[in-house]
Amino acid sequence: MLQQRGYSLIELLIGLGIIGVMSAIALPLILESSRRSDLWTGAERMGALIRQTRLKAISQNRSYRVRFDCPAANQARGLVLTGVAAVDNAANRCNATINGDSEIVQMPMGVTVDPNDATELQVTPRGVFTAVGDAIPLTITMGYGTATRTVTVSATGQITFNP
């Protein structure tokens, strides 16, 4: 008697159909998970930049600023204040590097940064923050599509994330 091995065409098509349905269900969940991960990463990068800039200001006994949209949208940078207005307020200050400046922090693709009306955060050598163009505590809203996460900075440098 001859034995047949393998799968029939019908069995293969049913298997492929099940795989297709499961993929169609899983794909939106995977994409949403990726967006949320990018949003959380962007918020953590912003928080790390603010903490790092405060630490530099205290340890070096110098004033610093965290400038938003510097040098481009959805980027930020910690800049040392030299005390020379022509240098500190220069139009190309975000592109110029002075000893003590941080690297440019780029948000993940698709993540937006909205610091409300603030253009920058200034931190004194004692670690006290003020917001230029807005009030402290400053709430920075990070967004990706319809999802948002906020980073709130207090005058003393405490950073909280919601949600």
Side-chain angles (χ1 to χ4, degrees):
M1 181 161 180
L2 185 63
Q3 286 186 344
Q4 290 186 350
R5 295 182 183 231
Y7 299 101
S8 70
L9 181 60
I10 298 294
E11 292 170 327
L12 287 173
L13 290 176
I14 290 171
L16 288 173
I18 291 172
I19 291 171
V21 168
M22 296 300 284
S23 296
I25 292 170
L27 186 62
L29 297 174
I30 292 170
L31 292 175
E32 179 63 24
S33 175
S34 176
R35 283 191 285 266
R36 289 235 181 244
S37 176
D38 287 347
L39 179 59
W40 281 63
T41 299
E44 292 296 328
R45 282 183 186 172
M46 184 62 69
L49 173 64
I50 293 167
R51 284 187 197 105
Q52 173 192 30
T53 304
R54 182 174 184 265
L55 180 63
K56 282 182 177 182
I58 294 169
S59 64
Q60 296 175 9
N61 197 31
R62 296 183 77 174
S63 293
Y64 273 79
R65 65 172 52 148
V66 175
R67 189 176 281 178
F68 306 109
D69 293 333
C70 173
N74 300 318
Q75 296 179 350
R77 191 167 188 199
L79 304 170
V80 65
L81 289 173
T82 63
V84 179
V87 173
D88 293 337
N89 300 324
N92 68 341
R93 179 64 180 96
C94 289
N95 294 317
T97 299
I98 295 175
N99 189 22
D101 290 350
S102 75
E103 294 182 10
I104 296 169
V105 175
Q106 172 71 46
M107 294 298 115
M109 186 69 103
V111 174
T112 59
V113 178
D114 181 10
N116 295 317
D117 293 329
T119 55
E120 62 188 50
L121 276 170
Q122 289 187 352
V123 58
T124 67
R126 300 191 131 214
V128 177
F129 280 99
T130 56
V132 175
D134 208 336
I136 292 288
L138 177 66
T139 300
I140 304 164
T141 304
M142 313 290 289
Y144 195 130
T146 59
T148 60
R149 189 166 191 218
T150 61
V151 180
T152 304
V153 183
S154 73
T156 58
Q158 181 179 3
I159 298 172
T160 55
F161 298 94
N162 289 313

